[in-house]
């Protein structure tokens, strides 16, 4: 609280003041304390409660005290408190309207009088006055008392001189007051008072803002004549005032430099210019020829923000003019140069301005003008706005259609002269006429295609089905066809390309088209107005309103183009064989559609999708897909036939020679997955999902062979040839499937080379480039030298060249190259250059080979990740099939290999995916194979194999997967118990039910594993593995309990003995185990465990070892459960030996006062009736204390201050040292002294040695020594303090 507030509370207690009630009422006073707190919620609650309290009690003395405290608080030293008191004062004045505002204003002036206040409190007084006026303004009553308005304005005028403290707050407050009052009050009361401020409007932005607000609010008062008298001109924006306005705007730009906003005064000026019909003058002279002539910075940013803010206020003609002018060009240059990191970017703000404008504007012409204006701002043909610019979602359907038409026109007939194109300085230096124009056209077309595609990608865009189809047809046509002759049936042929498409542009079109195809595959069906559809019904994806697939419409369009070669010419014409494959594909699709009419199935739809997608990709790579297309057709035909002739399946013996149709289909899907397309990947997944029930063991083996790590080396040659064909496709996949990513990357990459020219000189850039080249050359030389050290043949070649030219110095002549003449030197240079060039080529070839191998590995791994999709689908759809059991070992091999290999990120993703499928979808699946049939022996052998491998592994994390697989096999062998009545007997039968499992054999396997875990020093097995086994299979748990109990004492390490206790405890806590062993076996087990526990605890010797204590803790936990259970069940178990061992345990291990071990021990002993002894607190001896105090009073020094006493232990004779060993305390003290002495010597030695090698080390050790000394001093101080007590 402030000084004034403290004074108030003191004065309140004086008898002269009628405030006796206030002293007693803490609730009332607490409101004022809460008003000063920094938390806004607390302050607001205090204001609300204060007003309620005052209205309820309605006491005059409390109201008077409230005003005093609130006025005092306006100048509070805590900044957060001032707004609280100000708001409270405003709300109280609003609630109690009978209180005169003039009275409160007088009180404010009196309390915070700048003439009488102390110098150090001037700043607080200034804020007190300001917040006082704000409170009066917030009361909402200021307009009813004109004299108060005048008083407030005069007070604010006096405050505005103190800019170093209040900045522009007084003028802003005056502006707010002007917005509240009527024109009559302004004319009669304020006009004369504000005369000076209005006349000096061009001096600061705040005063100009005051004038502009007055003009807006009171146009009848401030008529041109009045303005002429005030400013010397009838208008504000005119040629004479432009320089003054520019200065004011520059000041405003600097004032909001950190806030990154547009000053309100500038937008008001723009509105005024539109009102005064002087927009052209203002924009050209003040902005373009004024603000933009300044250095790039706040003045430019103000102009760009003004451009964005002005959009809603301009007419169509003004919009077109502004969006094709100098401000836009400089904005474009800013966007390009700001792409470097750590630079200020204004583009997000501009996006917001444009988005807000398009959202609010309903005029399609204006919307189109803005979209075209920003899309026309290009850097060497490439627009600066991103191709995925999301503002397009706010366009009206009419404006969107016209925008699309404009984009298509710019693609077909690029008119670079109609664009607002700019080049950076570096680009201007590198420009070369014709090449530059071609590059600009390519960049423009590339952006346009991405822009068209993103309209389909963005589901928020208000587009119709016709528009989507129109865009897809346009991209498809120009990707694979060209117009020969105009045709009414094919709208794309009506406009011919003004500049033919090159291969780069076609590549972009093809990638964009297949990305577009993927987007259409995920398009939700448009909401139909036919109102039968349920509100929450899930809309199908990838189909039009009538239920036809989008891709089918495109295939039909492609057929139209192929059937009219006179009008449309294919860029890659089909051969007769390819055309025949295309036609048969169409026929197959039509047959499938006919069958779907009878009864649509998922399989039918999946086959249609696959046919159509392969058909679309046929245009891209017909040679590669021809065989796949033929196989696919024969597969589908066989699949359909097989369904029809299921009853007579084994008629022809010859069919055994041919592979099953499913196997061929799986091969087709695998070959398609090697294509870099996400769309193909998704469709393959859908198709495989539909044919899962028909998959055979051979088909599944084909999939697993691809994933087998051991077959990588064998099949490497095949992989290389496949990769060579599709070497560039990984990049294409990103482009094709992630259109938005492609766009963003292209934006960055296209403009990246131009980023640094705005802020840096060209020379610096060139130097940097040269430095980069030098660095690369040096690196290459170093690598060549490294190669040379290894490559003996290169060394021999070099020696030969030098010997031939007699340039090799020998011991005899001792000369160097002085004897060589110029011609010989030139010859030598040529020979050496040729030799090094050859070596460089070899080195580069090795590098290329390395890169190629790395790419191949990446491709193979990517392909395998896709193939895992099929495995995942199969496990999910066919979890109950016996074929799933064949996945266990292959998946474990993948995990084992992946864990042991050096893995990059892609390898880790593959491994994580395989592990997830294995653990979460296979082992933990509720659906599993229930029909083991005649495979029992095979599965038992598999279990033996898995458990043997589990114990041999070195990595515990891999071992966990193998153990999980073993439990899965046990689950499959056991099967599900028969579901019958749920009696107690039935439950017991269910517990003992183990299906086809050979319990003795399996128990032996797990018993061996348990013995291995508890008897070997290093084992990959863990306690958690066996805990899971015990929980899931109680019958096996019962069989393993004897082995676990035995190892409580016989386990090889102390830690393992503790883990044996944990396992026995978990087993005995299981209700199922208790039920299975009920009766005599359970009592027998308890007796055996009791004996083992007693023996185990007897083995514990005197120790402080952490490991032994941990073992004792685990043993005690088991003891606690056992003793409690025996007492509860009243079992005939002799616990006396255990009790005796436990009682003797305290003499072996020193217990602390508290801790887990101690608490568990006493919890066990409590069951034996032994309670924890209470520790009596020893009271300090008062007599001794009194003697110490009396000694101090006499004036003697404390013991700690006597130097001789402190040094006594060090000066003890040798004879006494020997006798002191009897006293443990003395021994400890002596050892400590010796230790201190050693450490001091050591520190000195360290300091001496450290000073020799380097000063850095010396300073470091010195600082460490200082810190050590400081640390050492602290306990001494405590000791001294203790002595003083």
């Amino acid at each position: 609280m402030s000084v004034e507030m403290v004074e108030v509370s003191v004065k309140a207690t004086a008898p002269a003041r009628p405030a006796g009630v206030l002293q007693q009422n803490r609730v009332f006073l607490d409101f004022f304390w809460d008003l000063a707190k920094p938390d806004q919620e607390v302050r607001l609650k205090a204001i609300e409660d204060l007003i309620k309290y005052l209205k309820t009690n309605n006491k005059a003395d409390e109201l008077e005290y409230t005003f005093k405290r609130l006025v005092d608080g306006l100048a509070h030293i805590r900044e957060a408190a001032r707004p609280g008191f100000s708001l409270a004062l405003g709300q109280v004045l609003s609630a109690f309207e009978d209180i005169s505002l003039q009275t409160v204003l007088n009180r404010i002036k009196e309390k915070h009088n700048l003439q009488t206040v102390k110098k150090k409190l001037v700043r607080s007084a200034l804020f007190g006055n300001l917040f006082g006026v704000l409170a009066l303004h917030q009361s909402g009553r200021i307009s009813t008392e004109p004299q108060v308005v005048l008083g407030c304005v005069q007070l604010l005028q006096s405050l505005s001189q103190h800019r170093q403290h209040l900045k522009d707050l007084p003028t802003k407050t005056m502006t707010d007051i002007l917005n509240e009052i009527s024109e009559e009050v302004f004319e009669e009361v304020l006009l004369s008072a504000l005369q000076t401020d209005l006349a000096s409007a061009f001096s600061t932005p705040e005063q100009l803002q005051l004038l502009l607000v007055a003009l807006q609010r009171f146009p009848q008062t401030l008529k041109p004549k009045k303005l002429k008298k005030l400013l010397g001109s009838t208008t504000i924006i005119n040629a004479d005032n432009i320089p003054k306005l520019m200065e004011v705007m520059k000041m405003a730009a600097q004032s909001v430099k950190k806030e990154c906003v547009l000053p309100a005064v500038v937008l008001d000026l723009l509105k005024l210019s539109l009102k005064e019909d002087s927009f052209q003058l203002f924009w050209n002279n003040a902005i373009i020829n004024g603000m933009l002539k300044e250095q790039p910075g706040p003045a430019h940013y103000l102009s760009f923000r003004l451009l964005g803010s002005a959009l809603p206020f301009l007419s169509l003609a003004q919009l077109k003019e502004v969006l094709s002018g100098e401000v836009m060009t400089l904005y474009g240059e800013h966007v390009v140069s700001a792409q470097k990191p750590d630079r200020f970017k204004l583009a997000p703000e501009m996006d917001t301005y444009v988005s807000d404008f398009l959202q609010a504007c309903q005029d399609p012409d204006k919307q189109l003008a803005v979209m075209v204006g920003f899309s026309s701002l290009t850097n060497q043909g490439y627009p600066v706005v991103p191709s995925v610019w999301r503002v397009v979602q706010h366009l009206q359907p009419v404006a969107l259609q016209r925008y699309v038409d404009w984009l298509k026109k710019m693609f077909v007939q690029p008119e670079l002269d109609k664009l607002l194109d700019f080049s950076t300085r570096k680009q201007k230096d590198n420009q070369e006429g014709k090449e530059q124009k071609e590059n600009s056209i390519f960049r423009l077309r590339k952006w346009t295609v991405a822009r068209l595609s993103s309209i389909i990608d963005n589901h928020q865009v208000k587009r119709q089905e016709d528009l989507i189809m129109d865009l897809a047809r346009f991209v498809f046509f120009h990707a694979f066809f060209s117009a020969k002759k105009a045709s009414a049936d094919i709208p794309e042929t009506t406009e011919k390309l003004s500049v033919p498409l090159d291969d780069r542009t076609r590549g972009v079109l093809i990638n964009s088209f297949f990305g577009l195809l993927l987007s259409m595959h995920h398009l939700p069906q448009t909401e139909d107005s036919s109102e039968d559809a349920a509100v929450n019904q899930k809309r199908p994806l990838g189909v039009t309103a009538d239920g036809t697939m989008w891709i089918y419409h495109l295939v039909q369009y492609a057929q139209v183009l192929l059937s009219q070669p006179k009008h449309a010419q294919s860029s890659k014409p089909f051969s007769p064989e390819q055309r025949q494959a295309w036609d048969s594909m169409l026929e197959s699709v039509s047959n499938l559609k006919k069958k779907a009419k009878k009864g649509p199935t998922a399989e039918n739809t999946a086959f249609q999708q696959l046919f159509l997608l392969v058909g679309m990709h046929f245009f891209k790579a017909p040679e590669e897909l021809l065989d796949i297309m033929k196989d696919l057709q024969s597969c589908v035909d066989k699949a359909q036939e097989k369904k029809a002739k299921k009853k007579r399946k084994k008629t022809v013996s010859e069919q055994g020679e041919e592979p099953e149709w499913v196997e061929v289909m799986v091969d087709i899907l695998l070959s398609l997955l090697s294509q870099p397309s996400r769309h193909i990947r998704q469709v393959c997944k859908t198709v495989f999902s539909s044919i899962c029930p028909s998959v055979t063991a051979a088909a599944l083996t084909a999939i697993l062979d691809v994933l087998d790590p051991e077959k990588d080396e064998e099949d490497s040659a095949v992989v290389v040839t496949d990769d060579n064909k599709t070497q560039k496709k990984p990049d294409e996949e990103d482009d094709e499937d992630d259109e938005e990513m492609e766009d963003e990357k292209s934006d960055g990459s296209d403009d990246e080379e131009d980023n640094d020219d705005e802020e840096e000189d060209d020379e610096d850039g060139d130097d940097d480039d040269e430095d980069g080249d030098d660095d690369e050359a040096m690196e290459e030389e170093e690598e060549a030298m490294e190669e040379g050290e290894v490559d003996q043949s290169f060394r021999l070649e070099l020696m030969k060249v030098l010997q031939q030219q007699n340039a090799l110095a020998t011991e005899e002549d001792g000369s160097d190259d002085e004897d060589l003449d110029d011609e010989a030197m030139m010859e030598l240079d040529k020979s050496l250059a040729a030799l090094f060039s050859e070596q460089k080529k070899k080195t580069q070839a090795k590098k290329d080979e390395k890169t190629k191998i790395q790419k191949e590995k990446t491709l193979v791994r990517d392909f395998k990740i896709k193939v895992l999709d099929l495995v995942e689908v199969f496990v999910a759809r066919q979890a109950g099939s016996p074929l799933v059991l064949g996945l266990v070992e292959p998946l474990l091999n993948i995990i084992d290999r992946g864990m042991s290999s050096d893995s990059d990120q892609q390898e880790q993703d593959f491994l994580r995916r395989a592990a997830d499928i294995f653990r979460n979808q296979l082992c933990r699946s509720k659906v599993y194979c229930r029909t083991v049939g005649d495979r029992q022996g095979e599965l038992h052998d598999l279990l033996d194999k898995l458990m043997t491998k589990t114990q041999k592994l070195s990595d515990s994390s891999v071992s966990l997967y193998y153990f999980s697989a073993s439990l899965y096999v046990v689950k499959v062998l056991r099967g599900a118990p028969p579901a019958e009545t749920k009696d107690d007997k039935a439950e017991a039968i269910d517990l003992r039910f183990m299906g086809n499992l050979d319990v003795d054999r399996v128990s032996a396997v797990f018993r061996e594993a348990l013995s291995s875990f508890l008897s070997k020093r290093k084992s990959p097995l863990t306690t958690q593995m066996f805990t899971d086994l015990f929980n899931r299979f109680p019958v096996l748990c019962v069989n393993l309990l004897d082995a676990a109990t035995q190892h409580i004492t016989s386990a090889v390490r102390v830690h393992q003995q503790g883990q044996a206790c944990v396992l026995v405890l978990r087993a005995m806590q299981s209700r199922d185990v208790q039920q299975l062993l009920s009766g005599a076996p359970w009592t027998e087990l308890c007796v055996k465990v009791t004996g083992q526990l007693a023996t185990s605890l007897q083995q514990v010797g005197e120790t402080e070892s952490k490991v032994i204590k941990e073992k004792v803790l685990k043993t005690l936990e088991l003891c606690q459960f056992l003793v409690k259970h025996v007492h509860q069940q009243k079992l005939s178990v002799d616990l006396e030996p255990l009790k005796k061992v436990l009682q003797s345990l305290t003499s072996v291990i020193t217990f602390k006062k508290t801790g887990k071990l101690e608490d568990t021990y006493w919890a066990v002993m409590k069951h034996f009736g032994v309670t924890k002894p209470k520790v009596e607190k020893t009271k300090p001896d008062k007599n001794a204390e009194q003697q110490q105090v009396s000694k101090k009073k006499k004036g003697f020094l404390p013991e700690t201050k006597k130097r001789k006493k402190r040094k006594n232990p060090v000066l003890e004779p040798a004879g006494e040292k020997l006798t002191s060993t009897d006293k443990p305390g003395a021994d400890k003290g002596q050892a400590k002294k010796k230790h201190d002495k050693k450490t001091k010597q050591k520190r000195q030695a360290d300091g001496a040695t450290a000073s020799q090698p380097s000063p850095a080390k010396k300073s470091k050790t010195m600082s460490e020594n200082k810190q050590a000394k400081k640390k050492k001093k602290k306990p001494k101080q405590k000791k001294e303090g203790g002595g003083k007590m």
Side-chain angles (χ1 to χ4, degrees), residues 993-1137:
F993 175 80
M994 292 306 283
N996 297 310
L997 188 77
D998 185 343
V999 177
D1000 294 336
R1001 180 178 174 181
V1002 173
S1003 298
V1005 170
F1006 281 110
R1007 191 178 293 110
E1008 184 189 343
L1010 182 62
S1011 299
S1012 166
F1013 167 52
L1014 295 173
S1015 60
K1016 288 185 179 177
R1017 288 195 168 275
K1018 283 188 178 179
S1019 173
L1021 303 172
T1022 62
T1023 310
Q1024 187 58 46
M1025 294 178 188
F1026 289 100
T1027 307
D1028 288 346
L1029 172 67
F1030 288 2
N1031 290 337
R1032 291 171 65 180
F1033 305 107
V1035 172
L1036 296 177
C1037 174
V1038 168
N1039 292 348
L1040 297 179
L1041 253 177
D1042 283 346
T1045 307
Q1046 183 186 346
H1047 282 94
I1048 291 176
T1049 53
S1050 64
V1052 69
R1053 289 192 302 168
V1054 175
H1055 171 73
Q1056 287 165 324
Q1057 292 174 9
Q1059 294 307 307
C1061 290
V1062 172
L1063 286 174
V1064 174
L1065 176 61
R1066 296 289 175 268
M1068 293 184 76
Q1069 284 175 334
S1070 167
R1071 290 188 179 277
D1072 294 340
V1073 172
Q1074 290 174 17
Q1075 201 171 341
L1076 286 168
L1077 289 173
S1078 58
W1082 180 253
T1083 308
E1084 189 182 332
L1085 175 68
C1086 290
V1087 171
K1088 190 174 182 182
V1089 173
T1090 306
Q1092 287 290 88
L1093 289 173
T1095 310
S1096 176
L1097 289 171
Q1098 278 175 347
Q1099 293 173 355
V1100 178
E1102 288 190 23
T1103 181
E1104 292 293 321
S1105 168
K1106 189 178 178 182
V1107 179
I1108 292 177
K1109 283 189 174 181
E1110 187 185 340
K1111 173 221 167 172
V1112 171
L1113 175 62
K1114 304 295 182 194
T1115 312
L1116 288 173
E1117 285 173 354
L1118 179 55
C1119 287
Q1120 186 181 2
F1121 170 80
L1122 185 68
V1123 174
K1124 183 181 176 183
H1125 187 77
V1126 167
H1127 286 162
Q1128 281 179 348
Q1129 302 294 325
K1130 296 180 181 176
L1131 302 175
S1132 56
V1133 178
D1134 183 14
L1135 296 173
E1136 276 303 312

Side-chain angles (χ1 to χ4, degrees), residues 177-435:
I177 291 172
L178 286 185
N179 281 318
E180 294 286 329
I181 61 173
S182 63
E183 189 157 2
E184 186 182 352
V185 173
F186 175 74
E187 190 172 358
E188 291 176 3
V189 179
L190 280 190
L191 186 58
S192 56
L194 291 173
Q195 195 90 14
T196 313
D197 286 293
L198 295 176
S200 58
F202 294 122
S203 56
T204 65
E206 294 76 31
Q207 286 173 319
L208 181 58
Q209 178 75 5
L210 191 68
L211 173 63
L212 295 176
V213 170
L215 274 172
Q216 286 175 9
R217 293 275 298 134
F218 319 115
Q220 297 304 316
T221 306
L222 295 174
K223 290 182 178 176
K225 286 183 181 178
K226 190 69 180 172
L227 277 180
K228 177 81 174 170
K229 189 177 177 183
L230 282 171
L231 304 172
S233 59
T234 54
T235 57
I236 290 176
I237 298 172
N238 53 51
D240 295 335
N241 289 343
I242 288 291
K244 299 175 190 173
L245 291 174
M246 276 168 49
E247 291 304 317
V248 172
M249 285 195 290
K250 285 176 194 172
M251 289 165 64
Q254 287 294 337
S255 68
V256 295
K257 192 175 178 181
K258 290 181 181 176
E259 287 82 358
C260 296
V261 293
L262 178 72
V265 65
V266 182
L267 188 60
D268 286 345
L269 276 174
L270 181 115
K271 291 177 186 175
L272 184 66
S273 71
L274 292 167
K275 188 179 175 184
E276 292 183 352
D277 201 19
S278 54
F279 171 74
Q280 203 75 30
L281 175 71
F282 174 72
W283 191 258
N284 290 336
N285 293 6
I287 302 299
I288 294 174
N289 295 324
M291 302 297 282
L292 295 183
K293 298 301 177 189
E294 297 292 312
Q295 287 295 318
H300 282 213
Y301 300 149
L302 180 140
S303 306
F304 302 152
R305 291 187 181 111
L306 183 61
L307 170 69
S309 304
L311 296 176
F313 307 107
L314 302 180
S315 65
L316 184 61
Q318 287 168 337
L319 275 174
K320 287 180 178 177
E321 183 186 347
V322 165
L323 293 173
S324 60
E326 187 70 18
V327 181
M328 279 292 278
T329 307
L330 287 174
Y331 170 68
E333 289 180 8
H334 159 76
V335 172
V336 172
S337 64
Q339 284 179 355
K340 279 193 170 182
D342 304 327
R343 288 202 183 174
F344 173 68
K345 296 173 177 61
L346 196 124
E349 291 180 47
M350 189 62 80
D351 290 352
T352 308
Y353 286 130
V354 176
S355 183
D356 293 345
F357 165 73
L358 294 175
Q359 221 166 344
C361 177
Q362 299 302 314
D363 184 351
D365 293 330
K366 284 187 177 182
Q367 285 189 333
L368 179 66
V370 170
M371 287 305 297
V372 169
F374 278 94
S375 302
S376 300
L377 178 59
T378 58
N379 172 33
Q380 290 199 329
Y382 201 94
V384 297
V385 294
S387 56
V388 291
W389 206 25
R390 295 199 174 276
V391 299
V392 74
Q393 67 198 37
H394 302 303
L395 289 180
Q396 299 293 322
V398 179
L400 179 64
Q401 181 62 60
R402 288 166 64 187
Y403 180 55
V404 167
D405 292 341
W406 179 83
L407 288 169
K408 284 157 67 176
K409 187 181 177 187
M410 290 306 290
F411 180 88
V412 175
Q413 297 172 346
E415 297 174 326
L416 298 179
D417 53 334
K418 289 190 177 179
L419 299 174
L420 189 60
D421 197 68
F422 65 91
S423 298
T424 56
R425 279 182 295 177
K426 189 178 279 188
Q427 288 171 339
K428 284 173 185 172
D429 295 341
N430 298 335
Q431 273 179 359
E432 292 179 11
K434 190 178 179 184
E435 276 184 28

Side-chain angles (χ1 to χ4, degrees), residues 1266-1283:
K1266 284 179 184 176
Q1267 287 174 2
K1269 283 177 185 175
K1270 283 179 185 175
K1271 284 179 184 173
K1272 197 173 175 186
K1273 281 178 186 175
K1274 284 180 183 176
K1276 284 185 182 177
Q1277 288 166 2
K1278 285 180 186 174
K1279 210 183 251 185
E1280 287 166 18

Side-chain angles (χ1 to χ4, degrees), residues 779-805:
E779 282 174 17
E780 285 172 6
E781 280 179 28
E782 284 171 13
E783 284 174 8
M785 284 171 70
E786 286 171 14
E787 292 288 337
E789 286 171 13
V790 181
D791 193 353
Q792 293 296 328
S793 60
F794 174 64
R795 183 176 287 177
L796 291 171
E797 288 292 329
L798 184 59
M799 296 283 283
K800 277 182 190 177
V801 170
L802 294 171
Q803 284 170 355
Q804 284 170 5
Q805 301 297 329

Side-chain angles (χ1 to χ4, degrees), residues 1 5 8 22 25-37 43 46-47 50 53-54 62-71 73 76 78 81 84-85 88 92:
M1 293 295 287
M5 287 186 180
V8 165
L22 297 179
N25 194 348
R26 289 302 312 164
V27 176
F28 176 60
L29 293 176
D30 282 345
F31 295 142
F32 302 105
W33 284 91
D34 288 346
L35 286 175
K37 287 185 178 173
R43 295 203 301 264
I47 293 168
L50 175 63
Y53 179 88
L54 291 172
E62 288 181 341
L63 192 59
E64 171 64 23
Y65 180 75
T66 299
F67 280 116
K68 183 187 182 311
R69 283 293 297 269
L70 293 180
V71 170
H76 203 289
R78 214 184 292 163
F85 282 101
V92 171

Side-chain angles (χ1 to χ4, degrees), residues 337 340-341 343 424-426 429 753-769:
S337 64
K340 279 193 170 182
R343 288 202 183 174
T424 56
R425 279 182 295 177
K426 189 178 279 188
D429 295 341
E753 68 267 14
D754 314 324
N755 288 349
D756 53 351
D757 51 343
E758 291 301 311
E759 305 292 332
E760 299 171 7
D761 294 328
D762 292 340
E763 291 175 9
D764 294 344
D766 295 338
D767 291 344
D768 291 344
D769 292 341

